[in-house]
Structure formats: structure tokens, C-alpha cells
Amino acid sequence: MSVKVVVGAQFGDEGKGKLVDWLAKDADLVVRFQGGDNAGHTVINTHGVFKLHIIPCGIFRPECQCLIGTGTVVNPDVLIAEIEMLNNAGISTSKLLLSENAHLIMPWHVKLDEAMERAGGIGTTKRGVGQAYADKFLRNNLRAGDLHDATTIRDRVSSHLEYVNAQLAFMGAEKFTLDDIMDKCLYWQKKLAPLLCDAFDVVHSALSKGARILFEGQLGAMKDIDLGIYPYVTSSNPVAAYAAVSGGFSPRLIDSITGVCKAFSSTVGDGPFPTEMTESDAALLRGPGVNPDDEYGARTGRPRRIGWLDLPVLRYADKINGFDELALTKLDKLDALPEIKICTDYLLDGKVLRNMPNTYDLYRVEPAYEILPGWLSDTSRCRTYSDLPENAKQYVQTICDKTGVPIRYIGNGPERDSIIRL
Ligand code: GDP
Ligand code: IMO
Ligand code: MG
């Protein structure tokens, strides 16, 4: 048996999708354990270019079971569309399962998210993720398993709709009727009933058979609802420990935790971002938006904010996750830079900080940079660590030394096999 958890070590979009697609060759079960379709996990393999929003990135491996786990929030329309998109590309989804205890993103959640962003939000993806989690914690949401029974849905929705419509009216958004919602739910029931499962049983059967299980995180450490840059965060816990909560097993059963870390930093949405580059430097790394690995939100298409690698963020991400290893992605994107900055520490009011400060102090920190020489050569063809130019090795080694975490994978291109194993 092995239980591996893959999580984002920065602000999201580190390349988790590519790594999970690659690692899934050795997995029997891949579980998306939190978040919703705010994710955009890019996978480029022999089947094409895909941006998955809710389906686990193990789906391209025919032998691998894929589970949308209990800790997620699921928009059924998005899931149905994603299944169809994959099927049209010749990818089978026959081994895809959906936890009966996953929560549903209802149409009003999306409308409320959009309306709240219009009124001045934090730059969400407007997928209704925060609103669905809010209703989960208020204990008045529908779960995927409720789709088994139309009468339950009717009772639950009719008692809740008045409150929802009052909120929508207050926000100036369109209201819903019970008939609209029931039509949708009956359609979702028809499409999704075959996927519904007892996720606890799926995970525990896999554990007892000694299966190889891979947990796929969404977003990254700095956007964790409890541990991230609140309020500029998502509404779930993208940290490794939550894989155990979502899967319903002891955290002691996790064998290894991989932090996915981009060779520089990026973020989308508002909030502090201490190592943010000047726009002229950022534009070079972001790319023109025509290549699948250019830095534009895979979910919203927004240009990502770009920064230098931030070691205080990585060290903090390690503290809250407990990384066994790092996967360093997009090293190739630094190929053309004559010199590369790494933020080694934060200074606040002239003092070096030992810990991650609170969100408002994070706006005020001054990053201390070390400048390393670039390598000015193409790393995308390197197949082994020893093929890398010396300055690239120095960059990699500096990250290992200053975080204390070994780098075991280096990404040197967007395609599935552009991975150097160390
Ligand atoms: P995720 O949300 O963590 O799965 O990351 P995204 O898919 O949103 O963003 C990562 C982007 O980087 C995608 O466009 C990937 O295709 C691309 N990518 C991942 N690893 C590498 C790499 O090593 N090199 C290059 N050039 N692109 C990469
Ligand atoms: P992956 O899984 C990058 C950001 C939004 C916003 C904040 C809250 O592809 O890394 P939400 O819609 O979750 O309520 O928005 O989180 N955000 C992401 N940023 N990658 C993502 O997913 C994101 N999912 C949400 O921009 O700042
Ligand atoms: Mg992404």
C-alpha cells in the first residue's frame, strides 16, 4: 500500500495537473480531495491538451480509478460537460466515481459569487466555490448523494429557496424557481447517479487491498482558508493533512507528501505577493498567451501576476504540509534570463522575520534577494540531472539547501514526459 499526496506549495498553478498525470502511471486510485471547479489543472499528453477543472488528472490512465472525493464541492453541469469533453476526445470515464458526501455547487452559488465579486470581492474564479462551502458549514446544502432521491431534493430546495432568492434579490441577481431547480436536479440525477459511491468504502477497500493511492490537491498553501493569506484565499484546505480528512482515514497512513513548486512564483486574484516582478520582467515569463504553458489562469484566462521564487513561502508551505520532496516545475521557463533572483528572507521594519507574517504585514515586507547567474541555454532537451547546465544545477541546489527539502522531480517542459527524475 502507498498513500501519496500531491499539493501546491505556493499560490496555485504550480503544475500539479501535469505531475499527477505523470505519477498516475503508478497509481490504482487518484482522488481529488478538496476544492471545486475553480481549479485549472493542465495536462498535455498523447491524447491532447486538457485543462481539467474537477475530474482527477489520473483519468488518462485506463487502469486507474478516479474519485472526486468527499471534501470537494461539485458543480454537476461542469462535471457533466467535462465528462463529455473527455469522452469526445476518446478518453473513457468509466472508472470515474463521485463521493455521495461531496457537496453540490448549486446555480445560486455561482450567481451569488458573481454578484459579490461585482460588488467588490477578492478576485475569485466566480465558480460559486466559496458560497457552496459556506452553505456546507451552515448545514443547509445539498450533497451529491441527495441526487438519489428527488423527493428529498424537492423538500430541501423548497425550504431553502426563499432565503436564497432573498439573497439574490439583495445582490441584484436573478431569482430561481423550484421548477428550474428540480428540472436541473432530475437531469443531474440521470447523468450522475452511475458515478455516485460510498467514498469511505472506496478509499478503505483500496487501503486494505494495498493499492497505490494518489491524492490530488487543488490550489496551494498560501490560499488555504486557515493558513493562507486570509481573506484572499479559497474556502477549503489545500494542505496535505486535509487528504486524510476528506478520505476518512488516519493521517498516519500518508506515506509521502510532494509539494509542487514552480521555479518562480505566480498568483491570480488579489492579495499580497511580496516577490511580484515589474511588469516588463513579468511579461517575459508570462508569455503571449498562445502557448498552453503561458501564465494565464487556466480557469478564468486572467493574466497571472508573476514574481521571483519566494523561499519564505516554500519554507512555510513545508511547515504546514511536511514535504518529503519537492517537484520543481517550469525550470525551462528561466532559460533566457541572464540572472535570477531568489527571495531568501522577508524583512519587516528592518528585522528578518522567522515566520510568515499576517496578511497585512505581508504587504509591508521587503524581500531580501540573492541573485544567481542564469544559464542562458535550452534545458528542455535535458533528460537527466547531469545534462543540466551548471548554473541550473546551482539554482536547484540552492532551493534544496535553503528549504531543507530534496527536489525529486524537475519539470523542463509542459508535456507529460518532460520530467527529470532525481
Ligand atoms: P496546476 O493548477 O497546478 O495544475 O497548474 P496549471 O495547469 O494551472 O498551470 C501550470 C502550467 O504550467 C500549465 O500550463 C502546464 O502545462 C505548465 N507546466 C507544468 N509543468 C511545466 C514545466 O515543467 N515546464 C513548462 N514549460 N510548463 C509546465
Ligand atoms: P489550481 O488548482 C490559482 C484563487 C482565486 C482567488 C482565490 C479564491 O488550478 O491551482 P475561489 O474561486 O477559490 O473562491 O477564489 O483563489 N484561485 C486560484 N488561483 N489556481 C487555482 O486553482 C485557483 N482556484 C482559486 O483567483 O484569488
Ligand atoms: Mg491551475
Side-chain angles (χ1 to χ4, degrees), residues 12-16 38-42 219 297-299 304:
D13 302 326
E14 298 91 348
K16 300 173 291 292
N38 45 354
H41 292 182
T42 313
L219 249 176
R299 176 74 270 187
R304 293 178 184 148

mmCIF file of all heavy atoms in Angstrom, residues 12-16 38-42 219 297-299 304, ligand 3:
data_model
loop_
_atom_site.group_PDB
_atom_site.id
_atom_site.type_symbol
_atom_site.label_atom_id
_atom_site.label_comp_id
_atom_site.label_asym_id
_atom_site.label_seq_id
_atom_site.Cartn_x
_atom_site.Cartn_y
_atom_site.Cartn_z
ATOM 1 N N GLY A 12 -0.921 28.295 -6.028
ATOM 2 C CA GLY A 12 -1.698 27.602 -7.061
ATOM 3 C C GLY A 12 -0.994 27.651 -8.398
ATOM 4 O O GLY A 12 0.005 28.361 -8.585
ATOM 5 N N ASP A 13 -1.478 26.812 -9.328
ATOM 6 C CA ASP A 13 -0.957 26.784 -10.702
ATOM 7 C C ASP A 13 0.528 26.431 -10.761
ATOM 8 O O ASP A 13 1.266 26.934 -11.617
ATOM 9 C CB ASP A 13 -1.198 28.123 -11.420
ATOM 10 C CG ASP A 13 -2.675 28.464 -11.461
ATOM 11 O OD1 ASP A 13 -3.490 27.534 -11.557
ATOM 12 O OD2 ASP A 13 -3.010 29.666 -11.393
ATOM 13 N N GLU A 14 0.963 25.556 -9.885
ATOM 14 C CA GLU A 14 2.375 25.178 -9.848
ATOM 15 C C GLU A 14 2.697 24.095 -10.884
ATOM 16 O O GLU A 14 3.871 23.825 -11.155
ATOM 17 C CB GLU A 14 2.749 24.648 -8.455
ATOM 18 C CG GLU A 14 2.596 25.657 -7.325
ATOM 19 C CD GLU A 14 1.216 25.617 -6.671
ATOM 20 O OE1 GLU A 14 0.300 24.967 -7.222
ATOM 21 O OE2 GLU A 14 1.057 26.235 -5.601
ATOM 22 N N GLY A 15 1.642 23.438 -11.405
ATOM 23 C CA GLY A 15 1.859 22.323 -12.328
ATOM 24 C C GLY A 15 1.463 20.985 -11.695
ATOM 25 O O GLY A 15 1.995 19.940 -12.053
ATOM 26 N N LYS A 16 0.493 21.036 -10.780
ATOM 27 C CA LYS A 16 0.027 19.810 -10.115
ATOM 28 C C LYS A 16 -0.574 18.829 -11.123
ATOM 29 O O LYS A 16 -0.369 17.619 -11.036
ATOM 30 C CB LYS A 16 -1.039 20.158 -9.055
ATOM 31 C CG LYS A 16 -0.541 21.085 -7.959
ATOM 32 C CD LYS A 16 -1.652 21.537 -7.028
ATOM 33 C CE LYS A 16 -2.671 22.482 -7.637
ATOM 34 N NZ LYS A 16 -2.168 23.822 -7.985
ATOM 35 N N ASN A 38 -12.976 25.656 -9.504
ATOM 36 C CA ASN A 38 -12.068 26.804 -9.544
ATOM 37 C C ASN A 38 -10.692 26.364 -10.060
ATOM 38 O O ASN A 38 -9.899 27.179 -10.519
ATOM 39 C CB ASN A 38 -11.933 27.466 -8.158
ATOM 40 C CG ASN A 38 -11.739 26.474 -7.021
ATOM 41 O OD1 ASN A 38 -11.813 25.269 -7.210
ATOM 42 N ND2 ASN A 38 -11.502 26.984 -5.833
ATOM 43 N N ALA A 39 -10.404 25.070 -9.999
ATOM 44 C CA ALA A 39 -9.117 24.544 -10.469
ATOM 45 C C ALA A 39 -9.025 24.591 -11.984
ATOM 46 O O ALA A 39 -10.021 24.450 -12.679
ATOM 47 C CB ALA A 39 -8.948 23.098 -10.010
ATOM 48 N N GLY A 40 -7.796 24.760 -12.462
ATOM 49 C CA GLY A 40 -7.492 24.517 -13.867
ATOM 50 C C GLY A 40 -6.204 23.729 -13.864
ATOM 51 O O GLY A 40 -5.140 24.294 -13.617
ATOM 52 N N HIS A 41 -6.302 22.434 -14.032
ATOM 53 C CA HIS A 41 -5.124 21.560 -13.991
ATOM 54 C C HIS A 41 -4.805 21.134 -15.421
ATOM 55 O O HIS A 41 -5.567 20.384 -16.033
ATOM 56 C CB HIS A 41 -5.385 20.347 -13.089
ATOM 57 C CG HIS A 41 -5.500 20.719 -11.641
ATOM 58 N ND1 HIS A 41 -5.703 19.797 -10.643
ATOM 59 C CD2 HIS A 41 -5.426 21.927 -11.015
ATOM 60 C CE1 HIS A 41 -5.748 20.419 -9.475
ATOM 61 N NE2 HIS A 41 -5.589 21.712 -9.676
ATOM 62 N N THR A 42 -3.692 21.648 -15.936
ATOM 63 C CA THR A 42 -3.365 21.416 -17.341
ATOM 64 C C THR A 42 -2.604 20.115 -17.497
ATOM 65 O O THR A 42 -1.628 19.854 -16.792
ATOM 66 C CB THR A 42 -2.486 22.572 -17.880
ATOM 67 O OG1 THR A 42 -3.080 23.801 -17.485
ATOM 68 C CG2 THR A 42 -2.345 22.516 -19.392
ATOM 69 N N LEU A 219 -5.197 24.189 -5.876
ATOM 70 C CA LEU A 219 -4.608 25.442 -5.385
ATOM 71 C C LEU A 219 -3.310 25.223 -4.610
ATOM 72 O O LEU A 219 -2.601 24.246 -4.855
ATOM 73 C CB LEU A 219 -5.644 26.208 -4.548
ATOM 74 C CG LEU A 219 -6.149 27.506 -5.176
ATOM 75 C CD1 LEU A 219 -7.225 28.165 -4.356
ATOM 76 C CD2 LEU A 219 -5.038 28.472 -5.463
ATOM 77 N N GLY A 297 -4.584 32.375 -16.272
ATOM 78 C CA GLY A 297 -5.399 31.474 -15.458
ATOM 79 C C GLY A 297 -6.063 30.398 -16.308
ATOM 80 O O GLY A 297 -6.753 30.723 -17.280
ATOM 81 N N ALA A 298 -5.839 29.126 -15.949
ATOM 82 C CA ALA A 298 -6.420 28.021 -16.718
ATOM 83 C C ALA A 298 -7.939 27.997 -16.526
ATOM 84 O O ALA A 298 -8.664 27.419 -17.323
ATOM 85 C CB ALA A 298 -5.808 26.700 -16.274
ATOM 86 N N ARG A 299 -8.439 28.643 -15.477
ATOM 87 C CA ARG A 299 -9.878 28.658 -15.232
ATOM 88 C C ARG A 299 -10.520 29.925 -15.783
ATOM 89 O O ARG A 299 -11.589 29.888 -16.376
ATOM 90 C CB ARG A 299 -10.134 28.537 -13.725
ATOM 91 C CG ARG A 299 -11.543 28.620 -13.259
ATOM 92 C CD ARG A 299 -12.382 27.386 -13.551
ATOM 93 N NE ARG A 299 -13.060 27.395 -14.820
ATOM 94 C CZ ARG A 299 -13.940 26.496 -15.228
ATOM 95 N NH1 ARG A 299 -14.221 25.449 -14.492
ATOM 96 N NH2 ARG A 299 -14.530 26.580 -16.389
ATOM 97 N N ARG A 304 -1.736 35.944 -15.117
ATOM 98 C CA ARG A 304 -1.280 35.708 -13.739
ATOM 99 C C ARG A 304 -0.271 36.780 -13.340
ATOM 100 O O ARG A 304 0.523 37.222 -14.175
ATOM 101 C CB ARG A 304 -0.635 34.320 -13.626
ATOM 102 C CG ARG A 304 -1.640 33.198 -13.819
ATOM 103 C CD ARG A 304 -0.979 31.822 -13.743
ATOM 104 N NE ARG A 304 -1.956 30.774 -14.020
ATOM 105 C CZ ARG A 304 -1.677 29.625 -14.607
ATOM 106 N NH1 ARG A 304 -0.446 29.317 -14.975
ATOM 107 N NH2 ARG A 304 -2.627 28.736 -14.807
HETATM 108 MG MG MG B 3 -4.208 25.785 -12.289
#
